[in-house]
Amino acid sequence: MNPVLEVASHFQYLGTPVSAVPCNVGHINSTYFITCDGENSVRYVLQKINTNVFKKPVEVVENMVAVCEHLKGKIAAEGGEVDRETISIIPTRDGKMYYATPDGDYWRTYQAIEGVVTYNLAESPEMFRSAASAFGRFFNRLSDFSPERLHVTIPNFHNTVSRFQDFKKAVEEDRLGRVKDAAEEIAFALAREDVCSFLMDGIADGRFKLGVTHNDTKLNNILIDKTSGRGICIIDMDTVMPGSLLFDFGDAIRFGASSALEDETDLSKVYVDLQMFEAYVDGFLSELRRSVSVDEIRAFPMAARVITFETGLRFLTDYLNGDVYFRISHPYHNLDRARNQFKLVADGEERYEELCKIVEKYI
Ligand code: GN1
Ligand code: MG
């Protein structure tokens, strides 16, 4: 039997799983679409949790269960579509929310939401605005979810200062002798150490509040309704943790307001799309007006810079360490991704005044 279908057979699916199609979006977990036989040929999403990244997979699942349950309560109270606006987790036949294989792999599954698409690039400002309001609603719906209920699935996830330390360590160790191939990128990063503490300092001195944030707000982590083009469901709860909404803003911009894909190697095509930036600010604030301060709004352009820089650092660090974290599809993939992110950082620096002007309109 296909080993993925064997795993699938442990869950309470309607019908017998007959096919498993890999979904190659995402750099961390392994994801499959499972189709079951029977009249309605129901589909499910089945994921193997990457236990190199998530050392405590059961805690990842526990967070997801608690967050989804809370969201369902909110969506029901708002009269929304409970089964489409968040994930519905399917238990195993013995009632667990995950299946642990004898080899120590951890799998979890949920009902597939039909009639939706995901994008790696924003197709229009309207679509990106709608994604922004969906992320804003996600934050709002979790605003009364007590952060102490969450496990910290990856410590210091958006602590750019500690990410910089990891980067410097990778350069010093130079385990694979790759430092020589990345001299320009390393110099770019070393020249920007001062950027790293911006968000951490604001959190420490109380200017930037802590709430429950998603922390991985890439455009492809939102399901967009095919008919209406609206962002309806936020997926990938693996890193839902206490954080600043500036993390979520910055990460959404670095990915969705980029003119090109995250691994585009023709850097002349990579820049910050100002129209997309504004659409996101507009959509995000349409939901979050009351929870975001003027200091935080003014920090939007810097938040985008910091999180883009941080992501570039993480790709570069992983390249230097031998590609042990992010999934790659060719040997220089992580270096390409780092170059791409650093190009965005550089472009954002050049157009910083313009970004600030856009943000001022919303204050
Ligand atoms: C990873 O799994 P995925 O592809 O949604 C990563 C994010 C990065 C992103 C870069 C747990 O997200 O932090 O921003 O790649 N997730 C984790 O594309 O590290
Ligand atoms: Mg993720």
Side-chain angles (χ1 to χ4, degrees):
M1 193 194 222
N2 169 325
V4 179
L5 290 179
E6 198 286 316
V7 169
S9 73
H10 291 270
F11 290 96
Q12 291 182 31
Y13 288 158
L14 295 172
T16 307
V18 287
S19 79
V21 178
C23 158
N24 295 321
V25 182
H27 304 334
I28 308 290
N29 297 318
S30 307
T31 307
Y32 299 85
F33 284 108
I34 304 294
T35 306
C36 290
D37 65 359
E39 284 176 53
N40 305 318
S41 56
V42 188
R43 291 200 315 148
Y44 298 91
V45 175
L46 178 63
Q47 286 190 304
K48 180 163 90 179
I49 300 174
N50 179 331
T51 47
N52 177 44
V53 167
F54 297 105
K55 307 288 183 203
K56 295 179 179 166
V58 175
E59 295 193 352
V60 172
V61 174
E62 283 172 357
N63 276 4
M64 180 173 170
V65 169
V67 166
C68 290
E69 197 181 274
H70 185 91
L71 291 173
K72 281 195 190 289
K74 293 280 160 158
I75 296 163
E78 293 163 15
E81 285 184 89
V82 176
D83 291 334
R84 286 195 99 222
E85 293 182 41
T86 191
I87 289 166
S88 306
I89 303 159
I90 309 288
T92 56
R93 300 198 177 279
D94 56 3
K96 284 211 187 69
M97 292 308 205
Y98 59 87
Y99 171 65
T101 70
D103 305 340
D105 289 333
Y106 286 77
W107 294 76
R108 49 126 188 253
T109 192
Y110 31 91
Q111 216 170 295
I113 295 172
E114 301 297 348
V116 293
V117 263
T118 57
Y119 291 89
N120 288 320
L121 265 184
E123 289 213 318
S124 67
E126 290 67 42
M127 178 190 145
F128 200 42
R129 185 180 291 107
S130 162
S133 37
F135 277 119
R137 278 198 300 281
F138 181 89
F139 184 86
N140 281 338
R141 286 169 175 166
L142 290 172
S143 60
D144 59 346
F145 182 98
S146 154
E148 299 85 65
R149 291 180 58 196
L150 290 172
H151 304 288
V152 173
T153 54
I154 300 181
N156 290 318
F157 191 62
H158 280 307
N159 181 339
T160 317
V161 177
S162 97
R163 296 288 188 184
F164 196 84
Q165 296 308 322
D166 296 344
F167 156 70
K168 282 208 299 203
K169 186 163 167 267
V171 175
E172 278 155 27
E173 291 179 352
D174 193 16
R175 279 184 228 165
L176 285 106
R178 291 181 171 182
V179 161
K180 61 179 183 330
D181 307 331
E184 227 178 283
E185 291 69 33
I186 292 171
F188 181 95
L190 289 173
R192 283 165 179 78
E193 181 165 8
D194 58 333
V195 169
C196 297
S197 63
F198 178 80
L199 294 172
M200 290 299 117
D201 289 349
I203 292 170
D205 67 25
R207 270 177 304 131
F208 308 151
K209 292 177 299 286
L210 281 181
V212 173
T213 47
H214 183 276
N215 297 310
D216 188 7
T217 49
K218 305 206 274 199
L219 183 62
N220 62 20
N221 274 334
I222 172 162
L223 307 180
I224 313 252
D225 187 90
K226 269 187 199 162
T227 326
S228 68
R230 280 174 41 86
I232 54 160
C233 177
I234 308 290
I235 57 170
D236 191 351
M237 316 275 178
D238 297 345
T239 49
V240 174
M241 285 183 283
S244 157
L245 49 71
L246 293 170
F247 299 160
D248 282 2
F249 178 86
D251 198 36
I253 295 300
R254 84 152 184 94
F255 191 87
S258 171
S259 58
L261 294 175
E262 190 179 65
D263 53 6
E264 173 61 61
T265 52
D266 178 351
L267 297 182
S268 69
K269 291 189 185 151
V270 181
Y271 55 88
V272 184
D273 183 322
L274 296 183
Q275 233 193 330
M276 293 297 177
F277 179 85
E278 176 151 8
Y280 204 88
V281 171
D282 190 24
F284 205 52
L285 290 179
S286 69
E287 291 289 332
L288 295 174
R289 270 264 163 240
R290 272 168 298 159
S291 24
V292 56
S293 70
V294 170
D295 273 349
E296 287 168 322
I297 300 177
R298 289 218 163 97
F300 279 174
M302 269 304 284
R305 187 193 296 180
V306 173
I307 300 293
T308 310
F309 180 56
E310 176 187 280
T311 310
L313 271 181
R314 292 174 61 198
F315 288 141
L316 181 55
T317 305
D318 198 33
Y319 173 73
L320 297 174
N321 285 340
D323 309 304
V324 290
Y325 188 96
F326 295 104
R327 184 173 23 247
I328 54 166
S329 45
H330 57 84
Y332 289 96
H333 209 162
N334 274 320
L335 183 58
D336 288 345
R337 289 167 175 154
R339 288 186 172 136
N340 174 303
Q341 298 296 293
F342 288 169
K343 169 68 201 293
L344 268 185
V345 171
D347 187 61
E349 287 171 356
E350 268 174 40
R351 300 204 282 162
Y352 184 66
E353 297 305 319
E354 286 172 84
L355 297 172
C356 291
K357 262 194 208 143
I358 291 173
V359 158
E360 281 304 317
K361 291 200 273 179
Y362 292 83
I363 288 178

